[in-house]
Amino acid sequence: MCGIAGYLGTRSASPILLDCLKQLEYRGYDSAGVGLQLADGIQITRSVDRLSGLEAKLGRLNGQGSAARVGIGHTRWATHGRPSELNAHPQSSLDGKVVVVHNGIFENFLELRAELSAYGLSPISQTDTECFPLLVSMLMREGMDFGQAFAAAVRRMRGNYSVLCLHAEHPDRMLLARSGPTLGVGFGVGEYFVASDAAPLLPHTREVAFLEDGDVAELNLDGLTVLDRNAAVVERASVHIDWELGAVELNGYRHFMHKEIFEQPEALARTLEAHLDGDVVALGLSELEGSFRDLEHIAIVACGTSWHAGLVGKFLIEQLARVPVDVDYASEFRYRSPIVSNRTLALAITQSGETADTIAALRDAKQCGARTLAICNVVGAQIARLAEATLFTRAGPEIGVASTKAFTTELALLALLALHIGRVRGTMTAELGAELVRGLRALPAQIEHVHGLEDAIEQLAGARQATTNALYLGRGSLYPIALEGALKLKEISYIHAEGYPAGELEHGPMALIDPALQVVALMPRDEHRERTLSNLKQAAARGAKIVAFVSEGERGLDGVAEAILELPLTHPSLAPILYAVPLQLFAYHVARLRGCDVDRPRNLAKSVTVE
Ligand code: F6R
């Protein structure tokens, strides 16, 4: 996903923009650029290299750009037009005066290109973005001033986008607009920072205001002025971001994914701390509270790892709150005319809060009358504007493309939500509630215990790094964890992996068993243990090579599995949280040993902001 950066102040903009872009690298990009406001115009530098390439180019330009006190920057994930210097951002008007960086898509760009060409302003790149500076320049030729032309151009654009715009003849102004992707403005002392998420702003300030959809804004040294979609001046209050600074640095770890796996005890503890008051679940859902008792149905929408969290959520909510739950891929929900009423709670789960399909699915459900709730990790994200209420995981910024700590904290919040709705509806006993809260509170220490198994997991990974196929098996709420384990392995190590309910083995996958297939089994001590054991014995009898993750003291798989790792005993409903962790570590070490780029797997972006 593209990343936007902006600086306006009294220091040299170029190094600040580069640092900011580095913090946005994790979102995935194939080219990058900056535009620096200088006395003789705006200097644009673009590169299809990593950021180091852009940095070197800027340096090669003899530090001339260092005089700039205002600038914009961008990391581009190509959608319209291949990755190239010509298509990288900033894009500019033909005279180079209007300069723009852009996230998202201008859906009507073809129509605009034709109109601009007819006017004599033919675009030279293949991007949708270029229409914007060309249109601003056309409107200025027609007599509008910069601000008017920018606002009018924003009104012409259709789609989901955010933009930053400079004009060479208005060196102290930066214009901004948001209609979709997050745009945050950080307030320093006499200086302002802009970015597509809060993390890059943290080294400079913790006070960040997020534009709302439809906002058009201006930044200058006097401050930020925002007009809403009705052109009324509005205040966008800043929020205090309490993420730790070190959260966006490697701090001695080789990869962010590794660091984030190890941050899980703290992330979980923070998430629980924020939503538990002693034994009482305190979610602060006053907007929705009245609807829980009469709920008929919960519709969970999500993608990828967050969808797996939703599958676990279904088990928890149906067990504790006795409300039927559907879990849909957001991309499917949108196109299957789901049955939704005003007694439906639509629950979107999304780490980034920016996933296009998840946002659209929640919007559709809302339009059909559903009440709406989101679980999200990123303050200021789009989804929080759409949902009636949002529960924030407190995982801190997740930089590795493969989701880890966001997943386990999503699971913790789902457990708390299930407990809360169950208590409101009177569908579970006080004892069970108290037991689960105790179980949740024990998890951070239990996950630390699992971290202690890293050497053994690394050895397992070492012996299996040449595997080409893997089958992950689990039953009940461990089945979604089998799916998640398989996703982790495939996305970062490129090994083909599938997750299956263990009970489905004989309905097809058993045919795959041969010495080249690695079976990974999840068998905590729960109501499914005997049945899973019997499935695994049958697989072993046909020559399956099994690695098993089991509860402490489990002996049933001795002689059946070739490797067995014992995990602490937890409440069966919470086992998914614990069992996710060794699978993350296993995938991490396999990928690392295979020499894969763990934090930036090929072809994947951290947030998927297009359908
Ligand atoms: C996998 C992964 C993705 C995301 C998915 C949804 O490790 O990270 O599958 O889970 O793209 O992203 P969010 O949760 O941001 O909506």
Side-chain angles (χ1 to χ4, degrees), residues 302-308 349-356 358 375 378 398 400-404 406 410 484 487-488 491-492 604-608:
C303 302
T305 287
S306 293
W307 182 75
H308 297 152
I349 307 175
T350 166
Q351 186 284 131
S352 60
E354 302 285 342
T355 302
T358 307
I375 290 182
V378 179
E398 192 178 65
V401 163
S403 189
T404 52
E410 283 170 358
E484 172 61 7
L487 176 61
K488 286 286 93 87
E491 69 179 329
I492 60 168
L604 295 180
K606 181 68 182 159
S607 308
V608 184

CSV table of all heavy atoms in Angstrom, one decimal, residues 302-308 349-356 358 375 378 398 400-404 406 410 484 487-488 491-492 604-608, ligand 1:
chain,number,residue,atom,x,y,z
A,302,ALA,N,-14.0,-10.0,7.5
A,302,ALA,CA,-12.5,-9.8,7.7
A,302,ALA,C,-11.8,-10.4,6.5
A,302,ALA,O,-12.4,-11.1,5.7
A,302,ALA,CB,-12.0,-10.4,9.0
A,303,CYS,N,-10.5,-10.2,6.5
A,303,CYS,CA,-9.7,-10.9,5.4
A,303,CYS,C,-8.4,-11.5,6.1
A,303,CYS,O,-8.0,-11.0,7.2
A,303,CYS,CB,-9.1,-9.8,4.4
A,303,CYS,SG,-10.4,-8.9,3.6
A,304,GLY,N,-7.9,-12.5,5.5
A,304,GLY,CA,-6.6,-13.1,5.9
A,304,GLY,C,-6.6,-13.6,7.3
A,304,GLY,O,-7.5,-14.2,7.8
A,305,THR,N,-5.5,-13.2,8.0
A,305,THR,CA,-5.3,-13.6,9.4
A,305,THR,C,-6.5,-13.1,10.2
A,305,THR,O,-6.9,-13.8,11.2
A,305,THR,CB,-4.0,-13.0,9.8
A,305,THR,OG1,-3.0,-13.8,9.2
A,305,THR,CG2,-3.8,-13.1,11.3
A,306,SER,N,-7.0,-11.9,10.0
A,306,SER,CA,-8.1,-11.4,10.8
A,306,SER,C,-9.4,-12.2,10.6
A,306,SER,O,-10.2,-12.3,11.5
A,306,SER,CB,-8.4,-9.9,10.4
A,306,SER,OG,-7.3,-9.1,10.8
A,307,TRP,N,-9.5,-12.8,9.4
A,307,TRP,CA,-10.6,-13.7,9.1
A,307,TRP,C,-10.5,-15.0,10.0
A,307,TRP,O,-11.4,-15.5,10.6
A,307,TRP,CB,-10.7,-14.1,7.6
A,307,TRP,CG,-11.8,-15.0,7.2
A,307,TRP,CD1,-13.1,-14.6,7.1
A,307,TRP,CD2,-11.7,-16.4,6.9
A,307,TRP,NE1,-13.8,-15.7,6.7
A,307,TRP,CE2,-13.0,-16.8,6.6
A,307,TRP,CE3,-10.7,-17.3,6.9
A,307,TRP,CZ2,-13.3,-18.1,6.2
A,307,TRP,CZ3,-10.9,-18.6,6.5
A,307,TRP,CH2,-12.2,-19.0,6.2
A,308,HIS,N,-9.2,-15.4,10.2
A,308,HIS,CA,-9.0,-16.6,11.1
A,308,HIS,C,-9.4,-16.2,12.5
A,308,HIS,O,-10.0,-17.0,13.2
A,308,HIS,CB,-7.5,-17.0,11.0
A,308,HIS,CG,-7.1,-17.5,9.7
A,308,HIS,ND1,-5.8,-17.5,9.2
A,308,HIS,CD2,-7.9,-18.1,8.7
A,308,HIS,CE1,-5.8,-18.0,8.0
A,308,HIS,NE2,-7.0,-18.4,7.6
A,349,ILE,N,-13.2,-7.1,11.6
A,349,ILE,CA,-11.9,-7.3,12.3
A,349,ILE,C,-10.8,-7.0,11.3
A,349,ILE,O,-10.7,-7.5,10.2
A,349,ILE,CB,-11.7,-8.8,12.8
A,349,ILE,CG1,-13.0,-9.2,13.6
A,349,ILE,CG2,-10.5,-9.0,13.6
A,349,ILE,CD1,-12.9,-10.7,14.0
A,350,THR,N,-9.9,-6.0,11.7
A,350,THR,CA,-8.9,-5.6,10.8
A,350,THR,C,-7.7,-4.9,11.6
A,350,THR,O,-8.0,-4.0,12.3
A,350,THR,CB,-9.4,-4.6,9.7
A,350,THR,OG1,-8.3,-4.0,9.1
A,350,THR,CG2,-10.4,-3.6,10.2
A,351,GLN,N,-6.6,-5.5,11.4
A,351,GLN,CA,-5.4,-4.9,12.1
A,351,GLN,C,-5.2,-3.5,11.6
A,351,GLN,O,-5.1,-2.6,12.5
A,351,GLN,CB,-4.2,-5.7,11.7
A,351,GLN,CG,-2.9,-5.3,12.4
A,351,GLN,CD,-2.2,-4.1,11.9
A,351,GLN,OE1,-1.8,-3.2,12.7
A,351,GLN,NE2,-2.0,-3.9,10.6
A,352,SER,N,-5.2,-3.2,10.3
A,352,SER,CA,-4.9,-1.9,9.8
A,352,SER,C,-6.0,-1.0,9.8
A,352,SER,O,-5.8,0.3,9.9
A,352,SER,CB,-4.4,-2.1,8.3
A,352,SER,OG,-5.5,-2.6,7.6
A,353,GLY,N,-7.2,-1.5,9.8
A,353,GLY,CA,-8.4,-0.7,9.7
A,353,GLY,C,-8.5,0.0,8.3
A,353,GLY,O,-9.3,0.9,8.1
A,354,GLU,N,-7.7,-0.4,7.3
A,354,GLU,CA,-7.7,0.2,6.0
A,354,GLU,C,-8.0,-0.8,4.9
A,354,GLU,O,-8.0,-0.4,3.7
A,354,GLU,CB,-6.3,0.8,5.7
A,354,GLU,CG,-5.8,1.8,6.7
A,354,GLU,CD,-6.5,3.2,6.6
A,354,GLU,OE1,-7.1,3.4,5.6
A,354,GLU,OE2,-6.5,3.9,7.6
A,355,THR,N,-8.3,-2.1,5.2
A,355,THR,CA,-8.5,-3.1,4.2
A,355,THR,C,-9.8,-2.8,3.4
A,355,THR,O,-10.9,-2.7,4.0
A,355,THR,CB,-8.5,-4.5,4.8
A,355,THR,OG1,-7.3,-4.6,5.5
A,355,THR,CG2,-8.7,-5.6,3.8
A,356,ALA,N,-9.6,-2.6,2.1
A,356,ALA,CA,-10.7,-2.1,1.3
A,356,ALA,C,-12.0,-3.0,1.4
A,356,ALA,O,-13.1,-2.5,1.6
A,356,ALA,CB,-10.3,-1.9,-0.2
A,358,THR,N,-12.9,-5.1,3.7
A,358,THR,CA,-13.5,-5.1,5.0
A,358,THR,C,-14.3,-3.9,5.3
A,358,THR,O,-15.4,-3.9,5.8
A,358,THR,CB,-12.4,-5.3,6.1
A,358,THR,OG1,-11.6,-6.5,5.7
A,358,THR,CG2,-12.9,-5.5,7.5
A,375,ILE,N,-13.0,-4.2,15.4
A,375,ILE,CA,-11.8,-4.5,16.2
A,375,ILE,C,-10.7,-4.1,15.3
A,375,ILE,O,-10.5,-4.6,14.2
A,375,ILE,CB,-11.8,-6.0,16.6
A,375,ILE,CG1,-12.9,-6.3,17.6
A,375,ILE,CG2,-10.4,-6.4,17.1
A,375,ILE,CD1,-12.9,-7.8,18.1
A,378,VAL,N,-5.2,0.1,14.8
A,378,VAL,CA,-4.6,1.4,14.4
A,378,VAL,C,-5.5,2.6,14.7
A,378,VAL,O,-6.6,2.7,14.1
A,378,VAL,CB,-4.1,1.4,12.9
A,378,VAL,CG1,-3.5,2.7,12.5
A,378,VAL,CG2,-3.2,0.3,12.6
A,398,GLU,N,2.3,-2.8,14.0
A,398,GLU,CA,2.8,-4.1,13.5
A,398,GLU,C,3.4,-3.8,12.1
A,398,GLU,O,2.7,-3.4,11.2
A,398,GLU,CB,1.6,-5.1,13.4
A,398,GLU,CG,2.0,-6.5,13.1
A,398,GLU,CD,0.9,-7.4,13.0
A,398,GLU,OE1,0.0,-7.3,12.1
A,398,GLU,OE2,0.7,-8.3,13.9
A,400,GLY,N,6.0,-6.0,10.5
A,400,GLY,CA,6.1,-7.2,9.6
A,400,GLY,C,4.8,-7.5,8.9
A,400,GLY,O,3.7,-7.3,9.4
A,401,VAL,N,5.0,-7.8,7.6
A,401,VAL,CA,3.8,-8.0,6.8
A,401,VAL,C,2.9,-9.2,7.4
A,401,VAL,O,1.7,-9.1,7.4
A,401,VAL,CB,4.2,-8.3,5.3
A,401,VAL,CG1,3.0,-8.9,4.5
A,401,VAL,CG2,4.6,-7.0,4.6
A,402,ALA,N,3.6,-10.2,7.9
A,402,ALA,CA,2.8,-11.3,8.4
A,402,ALA,C,2.3,-10.9,9.8
A,402,ALA,O,3.1,-10.6,10.7
A,402,ALA,CB,3.7,-12.6,8.5
A,403,SER,N,1.0,-11.0,10.0
A,403,SER,CA,0.4,-10.5,11.2
A,403,SER,C,0.6,-11.5,12.4
A,403,SER,O,0.4,-12.7,12.2
A,403,SER,CB,-1.1,-10.4,11.0
A,403,SER,OG,-1.7,-9.7,12.1
A,404,THR,N,1.1,-11.1,13.5
A,404,THR,CA,1.3,-12.0,14.6
A,404,THR,C,0.7,-11.4,15.9
A,404,THR,O,-0.4,-11.9,16.3
A,404,THR,CB,2.9,-12.1,14.9
A,404,THR,OG1,3.5,-10.8,15.0
A,404,THR,CG2,3.5,-12.9,13.8
A,406,ALA,N,-1.0,-8.7,16.3
A,406,ALA,CA,-2.3,-8.2,16.1
A,406,ALA,C,-3.3,-9.3,16.2
A,406,ALA,O,-4.4,-9.2,16.7
A,406,ALA,CB,-2.4,-7.5,14.7
A,410,GLU,N,-6.3,-9.6,18.8
A,410,GLU,CA,-7.7,-9.7,18.2
A,410,GLU,C,-8.4,-10.8,18.9
A,410,GLU,O,-9.6,-10.6,19.3
A,410,GLU,CB,-7.7,-9.9,16.7
A,410,GLU,CG,-7.3,-8.7,15.9
A,410,GLU,CD,-7.1,-9.0,14.4
A,410,GLU,OE1,-7.1,-10.2,14.0
A,410,GLU,OE2,-6.8,-8.1,13.6
A,484,GLU,N,-4.4,-20.7,10.2
A,484,GLU,CA,-3.5,-19.5,10.4
A,484,GLU,C,-2.0,-20.0,10.3
A,484,GLU,O,-1.2,-19.3,9.8
A,484,GLU,CB,-3.8,-18.9,11.8
A,484,GLU,CG,-2.8,-17.8,12.2
A,484,GLU,CD,-2.7,-16.6,11.3
A,484,GLU,OE1,-3.5,-16.5,10.4
A,484,GLU,OE2,-1.8,-15.8,11.6
A,487,LEU,N,-1.2,-20.4,6.8
A,487,LEU,CA,-1.1,-19.1,6.1
A,487,LEU,C,0.3,-18.5,6.4
A,487,LEU,O,1.0,-18.0,5.6
A,487,LEU,CB,-2.2,-18.2,6.5
A,487,LEU,CG,-2.1,-16.7,5.9
A,487,LEU,CD1,-2.1,-16.7,4.4
A,487,LEU,CD2,-3.2,-15.9,6.5
A,488,LYS,N,0.7,-18.6,7.7
A,488,LYS,CA,2.0,-18.0,8.1
A,488,LYS,C,3.1,-18.6,7.3
A,488,LYS,O,4.0,-18.0,6.8
A,488,LYS,CB,2.2,-18.2,9.6
A,488,LYS,CG,1.5,-17.3,10.6
A,488,LYS,CD,1.9,-15.9,10.6
A,488,LYS,CE,1.1,-15.0,9.7
A,488,LYS,NZ,-0.1,-14.5,10.1
A,491,GLU,N,2.9,-17.7,3.4
A,491,GLU,CA,3.1,-16.3,3.0
A,491,GLU,C,4.6,-15.9,3.2
A,491,GLU,O,5.1,-15.0,2.4
A,491,GLU,CB,2.2,-15.3,3.7
A,491,GLU,CG,2.4,-15.2,5.1
A,491,GLU,CD,1.5,-14.2,5.8
A,491,GLU,OE1,1.0,-13.2,5.1
A,491,GLU,OE2,1.1,-14.3,7.0
A,492,ILE,N,5.3,-16.5,4.2
A,492,ILE,CA,6.7,-16.0,4.3
A,492,ILE,C,7.7,-16.9,3.8
A,492,ILE,O,8.9,-16.5,3.6
A,492,ILE,CB,7.0,-15.5,5.8
A,492,ILE,CG1,6.8,-16.7,6.8
A,492,ILE,CG2,6.1,-14.3,6.2
A,492,ILE,CD1,7.3,-16.3,8.1
A,604,LEU,N,3.4,-9.2,-1.5
A,604,LEU,CA,2.4,-8.9,-0.5
A,604,LEU,C,2.7,-7.5,0.1
A,604,LEU,O,3.8,-7.1,0.3
A,604,LEU,CB,2.5,-9.9,0.6
A,604,LEU,CG,2.1,-11.3,0.3
A,604,LEU,CD1,2.3,-12.2,1.5
A,604,LEU,CD2,0.7,-11.4,-0.3
A,605,ALA,N,1.6,-6.8,0.3
A,605,ALA,CA,1.7,-5.5,1.0
A,605,ALA,C,1.0,-5.6,2.4
A,605,ALA,O,0.2,-6.5,2.6
A,605,ALA,CB,0.9,-4.4,0.2
A,606,LYS,N,1.4,-4.8,3.3
A,606,LYS,CA,0.9,-4.9,4.7
A,606,LYS,C,-0.6,-4.6,4.7
A,606,LYS,O,-1.4,-5.3,5.4
A,606,LYS,CB,1.6,-3.9,5.6
A,606,LYS,CG,1.2,-3.9,7.0
A,606,LYS,CD,1.6,-5.3,7.7
A,606,LYS,CE,1.1,-5.4,9.2
A,606,LYS,NZ,1.0,-6.7,9.6
A,607,SER,N,-1.1,-3.6,4.0
A,607,SER,CA,-2.5,-3.3,4.0
A,607,SER,C,-3.0,-3.4,2.5
A,607,SER,O,-2.3,-2.9,1.6
A,607,SER,CB,-2.8,-2.0,4.5
A,607,SER,OG,-2.2,-1.8,5.7
A,608,VAL,N,-4.1,-4.0,2.3
A,608,VAL,CA,-4.6,-4.1,1.0
A,608,VAL,C,-5.8,-3.1,0.8
A,608,VAL,O,-6.9,-3.4,1.2
A,608,VAL,CB,-5.1,-5.6,0.7
A,608,VAL,CG1,-5.5,-5.8,-0.7
A,608,VAL,CG2,-3.9,-6.5,1.0
B,1,F6R,C1,-1.4,-12.4,7.0
B,1,F6R,C2,-1.8,-11.0,7.0
B,1,F6R,C3,-3.0,-10.7,6.1
B,1,F6R,C4,-3.9,-9.7,6.8
B,1,F6R,C5,-5.1,-9.3,5.8
B,1,F6R,C6,-6.1,-8.4,6.5
B,1,F6R,O1,-0.3,-12.5,7.9
B,1,F6R,O2,-1.3,-10.2,7.6
B,1,F6R,O3,-3.7,-11.9,5.7
B,1,F6R,O4,-4.5,-10.3,7.9
B,1,F6R,O5,-4.5,-8.7,4.7
B,1,F6R,O6,-5.5,-7.3,7.0
B,1,F6R,P1,-6.1,-6.4,8.1
B,1,F6R,O7,-6.2,-7.2,9.3
B,1,F6R,O8,-5.3,-5.2,8.2
B,1,F6R,O9,-7.5,-6.0,7.6
